[in-house]
Amino acid sequence: MTDALFKAVEARRDEVTALTAELIRFPTVNPPGEAYTPCAEYVGAYLRKLGFETEFIRGEGAPGDTDRYPRTNVVARFDGRVPGPCVHFNSHIDVVEAGEGWSVDPFAGLVKDGKVYGRGACDMKGGLAASIIAAQAFMQVYPDFPGAIEISGTVDEESGGFGGVAHLATLGYFSKPKVDHVIIPEPLNKDRICLGHRGVWWAEIATKGAIAHGSMPFLGDNAVRHMGAVLQAFEDELFPALDRKTTKMPVVPEGARRSTMNINSIHGGQTEDFRPGLPSPNVPDSCRLTIDRRFLLEEDIGTVKKEVTSILERLKRERPKFDYDIRDIMEVQPTMTERDAPVVKAVAQGIMDVFDKEPDYVISPGTYDQKHVARLGHLYDCIAYGPGILDLAHRPDEWVGIDDMVQSAKVMAVGLNILLRGGAQ
C-alpha cells in the first residue's frame, strides 16, 4: 500500500514545489484581503483539471467584505465511484503582511536550497499544495476509491476566519453528512498531530473621565490614570493567579500550558494622528484597553470573564470617580479532538509509515479554523496536520522545506487510504 502511494507522491516533487511557489506569488495579504479572488480562482482551475467540481462562495456580510475586497472562498469536491465518507482538506489562503527584514522578495516564490521562500510559504500555502498532491497520488493509485475528497482554500483565518470557514460552516460545508473528517494542514511540524487549541476571549475595557485643561488637571478626571489602576491590579492580582493555572492539555510550547493574558493595545486621550503637530493640553476623558485572554480546557468562560470584571467592580467601589465599560470582541471555547478519533488514528498511522515513530500529540497555544468546524459545524473529527515549522510563521524569510511537503503529502495520502478505504491493499 505505502510503496505505491509514496512513489506517486515522490513523482510529484517538482509539482508540489512549483504549486507552492505559484501560490506565494498571489499577495493575499490580510488585512485588507488583497488578491483573494485571483488566488481562489487559480486553486479552483488547478483542481478542475484534476476532475474536481469547484464552487466559489463569497463571505458576504463578513468583516472586511467589500466589492473591492471580496471574501472569496473556493471549495472543490471529487466523488468516488461509490458512496462513502468524505475527507476534507481545509487551508487558508490569506497571509499576514510581509513586514521588514526580508533578504528575498516575500512574494516571488523563490526556490533555493531545498526550500520555497515567501510570505505564507509555511503558513500555509505549502500545506495547501501538499494536500492537493496527496489527493492526486491517492486518486492515481486507487481510482475506484469510495467516498469523496474535498479541498478548500478559505480566507481570513489570520483575522478570525469569519469570512472563510465560519461563513462556510454556517452554510453547512463542515457538517455531516456532507463531510466526515477534516484535516487542516497548518504548519505544526510534520511528525506532530495538533488535536486542538486553547480558548480565547478578546475584550475591550474602557475607562471614563472628564476633560479639562492640562495645566489644571484637578478640574478634570484622568481616564488614563484610571486605566493605570486597572493595569496595576492586573499585575498584582490577575497575572500571578493566571500563572498558577496549569492544564493537562499537551499545549506547545511549554509556557502555554498555563493561562495567559496579553495586553494587545492601549489608547487614551488625544488621537494618535496629531504628529507632526503638538499634543493638545487636555486631561484625557477616555482610555481603551484590549485584552487577549487565552484559557484552558479546565476553565469555564464565565469564571474567566469574572476574574476581570471582579477587579473592575472592586475598583469602582474603592477608587473615587472610577467607572468603566467592557465589551466582548470574540470568545472561543477550547477544543481537543480525542486521540482515538478516526482522523487522528489515520494520520498517526501515516506518520508511523513515513517516519517510523509515534507522532507527538500537541495542542496549539492560539486558535485556528478548527474552532469554527467544531462550534458551527458540530464536527469533531478534525485535526491540524501539515508541513512547515510553526516558529517560521509570520517572520521574515519564511520558508517551507520541499522534503517536508513531500513527506507530509505521504502522510496525508496514507490517511486518505485508511479513512476512505479502510487501509485496504
Side-chain angles (χ1 to χ4, degrees), residues 76-335:
R77 182 180 178 98
F78 191 103
D79 284 297
R81 299 289 176 89
V82 295
C86 174
V87 177
H88 185 118
F89 292 97
N90 166 250
S91 299
H92 66 84
I93 60 173
D94 62 313
V95 301
V96 298
E97 65 175 317
E100 302 296 328
W102 289 75
S103 65
V104 300
D105 183 337
F107 297 108
L110 174 68
V111 180
K112 181 182 177 182
D113 300 329
K115 302 171 183 175
V116 186
Y117 287 86
R119 175 55 80 225
C122 79
D123 187 17
M124 57 181 299
K125 291 177 176 178
L128 172 56
S131 68
I132 292 173
I133 297 306
Q136 278 185 267
F138 173 76
M139 291 159 61
Q140 174 192 324
V141 175
Y142 299 111
D144 296 324
F145 72 90
I149 300 171
E150 288 188 349
I151 298 174
S152 61
T154 53
V155 303
D156 286 358
E157 189 275 342
E158 298 291 2
S159 56
F162 299 106
V165 171
H167 182 75
L168 295 178
T170 301
L171 298 176
Y173 281 84
F174 288 93
S175 298
K176 290 186 175 184
K178 189 179 191 308
V179 174
D180 298 276
H181 317 285
V182 177
I183 298 172
I184 302 176
E186 288 277 10
L188 287 146
N189 297 15
K190 60 190 178 183
D191 58 353
R192 302 198 303 195
I193 296 174
C194 184
L195 302 174
H197 51 72
R198 294 192 298 174
V200 58
W201 174 47
W202 287 350
E204 181 185 81
I205 300 167
T207 50
K208 304 174 184 180
I211 195 168
H213 199 289
S215 69
M216 297 174 286
F218 47 84
L219 298 179
D221 185 27
N222 195 311
V224 171
R225 290 185 62 184
H226 286 315
M227 190 63 79
V230 174
L231 289 170
Q232 190 61 55
F234 285 170
E235 292 290 341
D236 294 342
E237 303 168 41
L238 184 57
F239 285 117
L242 297 184
D243 198 50
R244 291 191 292 269
K245 296 185 178 187
T246 60
T247 182
K248 295 179 180 178
M249 302 171 78
V251 188
V252 291
E254 184 74 26
R257 294 188 183 180
R258 290 176 169 81
S259 292
T260 60
M261 188 174 80
N262 182 52
I263 305 299
N264 281 20
S265 64
I266 184 168
H267 304 279
Q270 66 207 32
T271 61
E272 298 169 69
D273 56 2
F274 68 92
R275 300 180 190 277
L278 296 172
S280 56
N282 290 328
V283 173
D285 60 356
S286 66
C287 188
R288 293 176 290 110
L289 180 80
T290 305
I291 59 172
D292 177 353
R293 171 75 162 87
R294 305 296 170 131
F295 60 100
L296 312 172
L297 199 63
E298 293 86 351
E299 295 183 271
D300 171 72
I301 183 64
T303 303
V304 166
K305 293 182 178 182
K306 189 174 181 180
E307 288 170 338
V308 172
T309 57
S310 63
I311 288 175
L312 297 173
E313 284 296 310
R314 178 177 59 76
L315 288 172
K316 189 172 181 177
R317 293 192 303 271
E318 298 176 357
R319 184 177 174 87
K321 298 183 180 180
F322 182 91
D323 197 8
Y324 74 95
D325 287 324
I326 186 168
R327 74 177 177 91
D328 291 342
I329 299 173
M330 182 178 73
E331 63 180 73
V332 173
Q333 294 290 338
T335 183

Side-chain angles (χ1 to χ4, degrees), residues 371-394:
K371 59 182 176 284
H372 301 308
V373 176
R375 74 184 184 93
L376 296 174
H378 305 291
L379 184 63
Y380 302 100
D381 199 42
C382 176
I383 59 167
Y385 170 77
I389 300 168
L390 184 60
D391 292 354
L392 300 174
H394 299 198

